[in-house]
């Protein structure tokens, strides 16, 4: 009976989406173009180098080298092997869903147990500094100082989520179902180098094939990411047009009244739960009278990731035995901790960072903060060229392999 109800629910949802797509074709087309532009100009060129580099570092044994050195840190703190540090660092540097992608690769190569992989996925996906400083702070709020507050709250809360998730799955591990045997050997540089060499020797593929596989696998993942970005861009627009988003916002408004948040932020907040960029942009336009409330909500949706990114992660995890539920729970936890830290750090990291102007030059604003806006602007100009070149390279590699076959 439960499976039948699920079938009818899924079929009904698909039919409903098809009907509203037919009812609003022009709006759906424009939303699709917006999602495609964001993927083509920013997401694809910014994530592709990280994905390819991650694949190469895994193949050449560098990740194993890092894992040996970071084992004494990652194991006591997060109850994951040292190789998890690579997914965590890369996830913060390049943004979601890089952490999930690398965690899956580590699980496929048997460097993580199922529970360890679920722990790692829960805190290795974070927003990139480029997005926080370039898009959110400079692009939406026109305030580079704000990036420090949001970034500190976001990454510190992500660390705290990792500490909390270390307790996940302890019963299963005690029963002996999820124990990855690891020798308690002394951590030395010699041992790390030996493990790196052994890992590289296990991969029998020639260098050309390794490079080709890295490009192909990275582009396949990014095409999937682009599809979800476009889908949720359209879905968010359609739900707004048929007043479903407005109806849900009525419930959120009651919660906001209870916690003394402005009710005007309810609708942008709902949009942010579906897609971070759309929600953060809408929230930034309503900051004049209730700035702190706006920043708290932005921190929450950054930690929650939005259903669009969650769908991307779910798709990546679906090929393995890594379950989605722990990741989803961690997203709610991340959102609430980030919101709390934003309130706690608002005065010391934002209000107290006064800018003294000499002429038109802000003296105390670090140059690095201003550069994020320049980086984002340049990426929008050169991003399409990077996307076109690597898509062409992927097509060339695939055609060459088809001829060999």
């Amino acid at each position: 009976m439960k499976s039948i109800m699920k079938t009818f629910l899924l079929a009904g949802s698909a039919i409903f989406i098809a009907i509203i797509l037919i009812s609003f074709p022009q709006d759906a087309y424009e939303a699709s173009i917006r999602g495609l532009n964001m993927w083509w100009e920013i997401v694809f060129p910014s994530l592709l180098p990280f994905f390819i580099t991650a694949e190469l570092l895994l193949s050449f044994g560098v990740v194993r080298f890092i894992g040996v050195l970071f084992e004494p840190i990652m194991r006591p703190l997060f109850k994951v092997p040292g190789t998890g540090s690579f997914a965590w660092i890369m996830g913060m540097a390049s943004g979601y869903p890089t952490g999930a992608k690398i965690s899956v690769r580590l699980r496929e190569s048997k460097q993580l147990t199922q529970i360890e992989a679920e722990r790692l996925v829960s805190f290795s996906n974070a927003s990139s500094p480029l997005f926080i400083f370039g898009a959110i702070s400079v692009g939406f709020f026109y305030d580079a100082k704000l990036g420090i507050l949001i970034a500190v709250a976001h990454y510190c809360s992500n660390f705290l989520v990792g500490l909390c998730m270390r307790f996940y799955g302890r019963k299963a591990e005690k029963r002996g179902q999820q124990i990855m045997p690891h020798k308690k050997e002394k951590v030395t540089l010699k041992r790390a180098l030996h493990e790196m060499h052994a890992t590289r020797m296990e991969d029998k593929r020639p260098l050309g094939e390794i490079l080709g596989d890295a490009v192909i696998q990275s582009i396949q993942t990014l095409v999937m990411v682009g599809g979800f970005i476009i889908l949720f861009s359209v879905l968010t627009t359609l739900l707004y047009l048929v007043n479903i988003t407005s109806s849900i916002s009525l419930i959120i408004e009651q919660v906001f009244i209870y916690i003394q948040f402005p009710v005007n932020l309810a609708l942008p907040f709902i949009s942010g739960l579906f897609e971070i960029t759309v929600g953060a942009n809408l929230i930034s336009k309503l900051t004049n009278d209730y700035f702190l409330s706006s920043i708290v909500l932005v921190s929450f949706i950054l930690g929650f990731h939005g259903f669009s990114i969650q769908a991307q992660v779910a798709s990546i995890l679906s090929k393995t035995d890594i379950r989605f539920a722990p990741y989803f729970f961690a997203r709610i936890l991340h959102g609430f901790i980030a919101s709390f830290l934003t309130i706690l750090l608002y005065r010391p990291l934002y209000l107290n960072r006064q800018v003294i102007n000499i002429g038109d030059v802000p003296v105390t604003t670090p140059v690095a903060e201003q550069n994020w806006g320049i980086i984002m602007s340049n990426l929008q100009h050169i991003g399409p060229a990077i996307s076109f070149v690597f898509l062409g390279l992927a097509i060339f590699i695939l055609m060459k392999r088809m001829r060999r076959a």
Side-chain angles (χ1 to χ4, degrees):
M1 184 66 183
K2 185 178 180 180
S3 61
I4 295 176
M5 292 298 296
K6 183 177 180 180
T7 299
F8 280 112
L9 178 62
L10 294 174
S13 300
I15 293 171
F16 174 72
I17 293 173
I19 292 173
I20 56 178
L21 272 172
I22 296 171
S23 302
F24 303 96
Q26 183 63 31
D27 297 284
Y29 171 77
E30 293 175 356
S32 179
I33 292 297
R34 285 196 299 270
L36 178 62
N37 287 337
M38 182 171 65
W39 175 77
W40 179 258
E41 296 177 356
I42 298 176
V43 175
F44 189 98
S46 63
L47 286 184
L48 182 64
F50 287 95
F51 278 20
I52 294 176
T53 302
E55 291 288 341
L56 295 178
L57 291 176
L58 283 163
S59 300
F60 297 152
V62 179
V63 174
R64 185 64 190 140
F65 172 83
I66 296 173
V68 173
L69 297 180
F70 279 84
E71 183 78 17
I73 299 175
M74 299 298 290
R75 184 73 66 177
L77 284 178
F78 306 116
K79 287 291 183 72
V80 297
T83 50
S85 62
F86 178 70
W88 187 31
I89 294 170
M90 291 290 286
M92 289 190 294
S94 59
Y96 9 67
T98 306
K101 168 72 173 174
I102 297 175
S103 299
V104 166
R105 289 286 286 111
L106 292 174
R107 175 59 181 153
E108 290 173 344
S109 60
K110 306 298 183 182
Q111 298 186 49
L112 300 172
T113 66
Q114 178 188 8
I115 288 180
E116 288 172 346
E118 289 167 354
R119 288 174 183 155
L120 184 59
V121 169
S122 68
F123 71 93
S124 61
N125 289 275
S127 181
S128 68
L130 177 64
F131 183 72
I132 291 177
F133 285 92
I136 301 292
S137 302
V138 177
F140 295 159
F141 288 92
Y142 305 103
D143 189 350
K145 290 192 301 176
L146 185 61
I148 297 295
L149 171 62
I150 297 177
V152 170
H154 184 70
Y155 295 126
C156 287
S157 58
N158 188 51
F159 174 80
L160 294 175
V161 168
L163 293 180
C164 294
M165 292 303 292
R166 74 187 301 275
F167 301 104
Y168 165 75
R170 289 188 301 172
K171 292 183 179 179
E173 289 183 327
K174 287 180 179 179
R175 291 196 300 265
Q177 297 176 359
Q178 293 287 332
I179 296 179
M180 178 77 73
H182 59 279
K183 300 178 182 179
K184 293 185 178 179
E185 300 180 17
K186 185 177 180 180
V187 177
T188 62
L189 182 61
K190 181 179 179 180
R191 177 176 162 240
L193 290 171
H194 173 75
E195 293 286 349
M196 180 179 69
H197 177 68
T199 302
R200 189 192 71 81
M201 294 303 294
E202 290 175 1
D203 194 335
K204 303 300 182 181
R205 295 174 298 168
L207 178 60
E209 186 177 352
I210 291 175
L211 292 173
D213 288 344
V215 173
I216 294 298
Q217 292 176 13
S218 300
I219 290 178
Q220 286 176 343
T221 302
L222 284 170
V223 168
M224 178 272 297
V225 169
F228 276 110
I229 290 174
I230 295 171
L231 172 63
F232 275 85
S233 178
V234 173
L235 188 60
T236 304
T237 301
L238 294 179
L239 291 178
Y240 175 78
L241 292 173
V242 296
N243 295 321
I244 291 180
T245 306
S246 301
S247 300
I248 299 175
S249 69
L250 295 177
I251 302 174
I252 301 298
E253 285 178 5
Q254 300 304 313
V255 177
F256 280 11
I257 292 174
Y258 180 76
I259 62 176
Q260 298 182 350
F261 269 42
V263 294
N264 291 355
L265 293 172
L267 190 58
F269 176 69
I270 293 295
S271 299
L273 293 181
F274 281 91
E275 217 292 314
I276 293 176
T277 307
V278 175
N281 189 23
L282 292 175
I283 290 174
S284 69
K285 296 177 180 178
L286 300 172
T287 59
N288 293 332
D289 299 325
Y290 22 82
F291 186 74
L292 178 58
S293 300
S294 300
I295 304 307
V296 169
L297 294 182
V298 168
S299 290
F300 182 90
I301 63 177
L302 280 174
F304 185 71
H305 291 184
F307 293 124
S308 174
I309 293 170
Q310 291 185 19
Q312 297 169 27
V313 172
S315 179
I316 294 172
L317 300 182
S318 64
K319 300 177 182 179
T320 67
D321 58 355
I322 304 174
R323 289 166 292 195
F324 177 76
Y327 165 80
F328 181 74
F329 169 77
R331 299 288 56 78
I332 299 174
L333 185 63
H334 191 177
F336 279 110
I337 296 177
S339 300
F340 175 76
L341 289 181
T342 301
I343 297 173
L344 192 66
L345 301 173
Y346 178 66
R347 182 172 295 277
L349 292 185
Y350 185 74
L351 289 184
N352 291 346
R353 296 181 72 245
Q354 300 295 329
V355 178
I356 303 173
N357 290 318
I358 300 178
D360 296 326
V361 181
V363 175
T364 62
T365 300
V367 176
E369 294 182 16
Q370 302 173 13
N371 289 341
W372 288 110
I374 300 174
I375 293 172
M376 180 63 70
S377 177
N378 291 337
L379 188 59
Q380 289 178 334
H381 285 91
I382 67 174
I386 297 174
S387 304
F388 179 79
V389 169
F390 275 93
L391 283 174
L393 179 61
I395 294 172
F396 173 77
I397 295 172
L398 287 173
M399 291 180 63
K400 192 171 182 180
R401 291 184 178 180
M402 289 174 63
R403 289 176 182 176
R404 289 179 180 176

